[in-house]
Amino acid sequence: MAFNFGTPSGTSGTAAATAAPAGGFGGFGTTSTTAGSAFSFSTPANTGTTALGGLFSQPTQAPAQSNQLINTASALSAPTLLGDERDAILAKWNQLQAFWGTGKGYFNNNIPPVEFTLENPFCRFKAVGYSCMPNNKDEDGLVVLVFNKKETDIRSQQQQLVESLHKVLGGNQTLTVNVEGIKTLPDDQTEVVIYVVERSPNGTSRRVPATTLYAHFEQTNIKTQLQQLGVTLSMTRTELSPAQIKQLLQNPPAGVDPIIWEQAKVDNPDSEKLIPVPMVGFKELLRRLKVQDQMTKQHQTRLDIISEDIGELQKNQTTTMAKIAQYKRKLMDLSHRTLQVLIKQEIQRKSGYAIQADEEQLRVQLDTIQGELNAPTQFKGRLNELMSQIRMQNHFGAVKSEERYYIDGDLLREIKQHLKQQQEGLSHLISIIKDDLEDIKLVEHGLNETIHIRGGIFS
């Protein structure tokens, strides 16, 4: 959650709601402009003081501040309003108001009462949190506009919003308004990040600096037009200079105990990216809680999207693995066919030659393999045994069909998968045996032809 280090350019939510037209974005496209509202780059933008304002601003009028402290001390410790023991009760009442951060502290008939706010140093409802520091440069030209509208309304009429902001900039054809991002905020508000691109006559273009664009939005007549569009707040989104960060950290915000501020700086979990900010009152705490809840929902949405992507990748992986297995089987089949071709070619090449010692040894080995395959205790016998057991189980199931057995669904799927793998293995084994038998027959046929040819020669 980024913290606003600039002073809001819009008015309060109530004023903006009053100025904005009722329903939707009725103000878009109807904003009137004058010659004085044209966008000008010659006007110097001096927003350094504004950027350091807000919660971190310090009083500059020392005498007024001194009188305020004296009056506050008198209201809390020694009021002289009634001139009797009731002044002590009034002092305690003023202390309670100061601790709560609201009310007026009467202490003298000739002096106006002290106005107790949440910023007074005696208010107890204060805490220090941490917010992310922006990392965008002024050249990026990013300016944040907070609309008192829902995100769906903003997105549905985004083009109309861009056109209305272009009119606010004077309708200059060399300027183009672009939307960098849209984000939902609590209380049906929406944050829109924009930047403006300026095209020069020679064809080049550049982004209008954020401070320049913000200074234009700060003009009184421009503020009014933005309020008609539903803008309640505007700020630059630029990184702070090291000098600004140093000044913010060295000077505790108004009403914050310096000891608490120093401890907050020590407890900062990431001083490079986070900066301590005061949370004064329950309203500010509620606001941060809503923003945190909103960010949590956005993170959950992103996690759901990632989970869907992972599921899709898993499906693709399963499909790819199946294709790989298919290609492996095809490769094995092609290998067998290649072997058959080589066998036939070898038979033709060796035709007319006497059987060599290594060929005789190979025939003996093939005969041994054939004998092992046909042996009752080897593969063929085991296959026959499995077939017999399957037939018996089918017969037993038919006889006792009235008995019902229930198996857990996961276990049943595992059994089916195991049997499927066994069946595929058996089918593959049978296919290999058949191919080997055919190869043996081809070899025997070639040998017989060779012997027959030799017999004819010698006869």
Side-chain angles (χ1 to χ4, degrees), residues 61-62 191 231 277 295 313 329 335 354:
Q61 298 179 356
E191 175 187 282
V231 176
V277 293
M295 292 300 298
L313 291 175
R329 291 192 296 267
S335 300

Side-chain angles (χ1 to χ4, degrees), residues 288-414:
R288 292 180 65 93
L289 179 62
K290 288 182 179 180
V291 173
Q292 184 67 32
D293 183 64
Q294 188 70 34
M295 292 300 298
T296 302
K297 291 180 180 178
Q298 293 179 4
H299 291 165
Q300 185 61 46
T301 303
R302 176 58 56 183
L303 289 176
D304 294 340
I305 294 174
I306 294 175
S307 177
E308 293 178 0
D309 294 341
I310 292 175
E312 188 67 23
L313 291 175
Q314 289 177 344
K315 291 180 181 178
N316 295 337
Q317 182 187 16
T318 303
T319 304
T320 304
M321 294 299 294
K323 289 183 178 180
I324 291 174
Q326 180 182 356
Y327 292 148
K328 285 183 178 179
R329 291 192 296 267
K330 187 175 182 180
L331 176 62
M332 186 175 295
D333 182 56
L334 292 175
S335 300
H336 291 162
R337 293 173 63 182
T338 304
L339 180 60
Q340 293 176 2
V341 173
L342 291 176
I343 291 172
K344 292 181 180 180
Q345 183 180 5
E346 187 69 16
I347 292 173
Q348 292 180 358
R349 190 177 68 86
K350 292 289 186 178
S351 179
Y353 293 92
I355 298 178
Q356 299 178 359
D358 55 348
E359 293 177 344
E360 182 65 26
Q361 185 179 1
L362 179 61
R363 185 175 68 175
V364 173
Q365 292 178 358
L366 291 174
D367 291 338
T368 303
I369 293 174
Q370 181 69 24
E372 290 179 355
L373 292 176
N374 294 328
T377 58
Q378 296 299 323
F379 299 103
K380 189 172 182 180
R382 292 180 180 178
L383 289 175
N384 293 331
E385 183 181 355
L386 288 174
M387 294 299 295
S388 299
Q389 292 180 0
I390 291 173
R391 293 191 187 96
M392 291 179 61
Q393 290 178 359
N394 293 336
H395 177 71
F396 181 77
V399 173
K400 295 187 176 181
S401 59
E402 68 278 359
E403 298 182 3
R404 299 291 182 180
Y405 298 93
Y406 297 94
I407 303 178
D408 182 69
D410 295 336
L411 180 59
L412 183 60
R413 284 191 293 271
E414 292 180 2

Side-chain angles (χ1 to χ4, degrees), residues 153-442:
D153 297 335
I154 293 286
R155 291 188 181 276
S156 62
Q157 299 188 13
Q158 180 175 337
Q159 183 59 34
Q160 191 175 355
L161 169 61
V162 171
E163 294 174 357
S164 299
L165 291 176
H166 187 262
K167 291 182 180 180
V168 171
L169 296 175
N172 194 335
Q173 296 301 320
T174 61
L175 302 178
T176 304
V177 180
N178 299 273
V179 177
E180 176 75 10
I182 300 176
K183 185 175 68 174
T184 301
L185 296 179
D187 301 327
D188 292 335
Q189 292 185 331
T190 304
E191 175 187 282
V192 180
V193 182
I194 66 169
Y195 64 92
V196 177
V197 177
E198 179 190 18
R199 297 187 306 274
S200 60
N202 58 5
T204 60
S205 61
R206 71 179 184 96
R207 292 192 180 189
V208 177
T211 51
T212 305
L213 183 59
Y214 175 76
H216 180 73
F217 288 158
E218 279 291 278
Q219 299 178 19
T220 305
N221 58 333
I222 302 301
K223 278 186 179 181
T224 304
Q225 296 179 34
L226 291 176
Q227 292 169 12
Q228 293 175 358
L229 297 178
V231 176
T232 61
L233 178 68
S234 66
M235 69 191 84
T236 59
R237 178 161 290 179
T238 56
E239 63 181 357
L240 299 174
S241 65
Q244 290 174 327
I245 296 176
K246 183 178 180 180
Q247 181 180 357
L248 292 175
L249 294 178
Q250 286 182 348
N251 301 318
V256 177
D257 191 338
I259 298 177
I260 298 178
W261 187 248
E262 291 297 327
Q263 186 62 39
K265 292 191 293 184
V266 174
D267 296 337
N268 192 340
D270 190 349
S271 59
E272 297 295 329
K273 297 181 179 179
L274 302 178
I275 191 168
V277 293
M279 294 184 293
V280 181
F282 293 105
K283 185 177 181 180
E284 175 64 17
L285 181 62
L286 178 61
R287 186 191 68 82
R288 292 180 65 93
L289 179 62
K290 288 182 179 180
V291 173
Q292 184 67 32
D293 183 64
Q294 188 70 34
M295 292 300 298
T296 302
K297 291 180 180 178
Q298 293 179 4
H299 291 165
Q300 185 61 46
T301 303
R302 176 58 56 183
L303 289 176
D304 294 340
I305 294 174
I306 294 175
S307 177
E308 293 178 0
D309 294 341
I310 292 175
E312 188 67 23
L313 291 175
Q314 289 177 344
K315 291 180 181 178
N316 295 337
Q317 182 187 16
T318 303
T319 304
T320 304
M321 294 299 294
K323 289 183 178 180
I324 291 174
Q326 180 182 356
Y327 292 148
K328 285 183 178 179
R329 291 192 296 267
K330 187 175 182 180
L331 176 62
M332 186 175 295
D333 182 56
L334 292 175
S335 300
H336 291 162
R337 293 173 63 182
T338 304
L339 180 60
Q340 293 176 2
V341 173
L342 291 176
I343 291 172
K344 292 181 180 180
Q345 183 180 5
E346 187 69 16
I347 292 173
Q348 292 180 358
R349 190 177 68 86
K350 292 289 186 178
S351 179
Y353 293 92
I355 298 178
Q356 299 178 359
D358 55 348
E359 293 177 344
E360 182 65 26
Q361 185 179 1
L362 179 61
R363 185 175 68 175
V364 173
Q365 292 178 358
L366 291 174
D367 291 338
T368 303
I369 293 174
Q370 181 69 24
E372 290 179 355
L373 292 176
N374 294 328
T377 58
Q378 296 299 323
F379 299 103
K380 189 172 182 180
R382 292 180 180 178
L383 289 175
N384 293 331
E385 183 181 355
L386 288 174
M387 294 299 295
S388 299
Q389 292 180 0
I390 291 173
R391 293 191 187 96
M392 291 179 61
Q393 290 178 359
N394 293 336
H395 177 71
F396 181 77
V399 173
K400 295 187 176 181
S401 59
E402 68 278 359
E403 298 182 3
R404 299 291 182 180
Y405 298 93
Y406 297 94
I407 303 178
D408 182 69
D410 295 336
L411 180 59
L412 183 60
R413 284 191 293 271
E414 292 180 2
I415 293 174
K416 288 181 178 179
Q417 183 68 20
H418 179 70
L419 293 177
K420 183 179 179 181
Q421 294 176 355
Q422 293 289 337
Q423 185 178 3
E424 291 177 354
L426 292 174
S427 300
H428 182 63
L429 183 60
I430 293 173
S431 176
I432 294 175
I433 293 173
K434 288 182 180 180
D435 293 340
D436 291 341
L437 289 175
E438 291 179 0
D439 296 341
I440 292 173
K441 289 180 181 179
L442 290 174

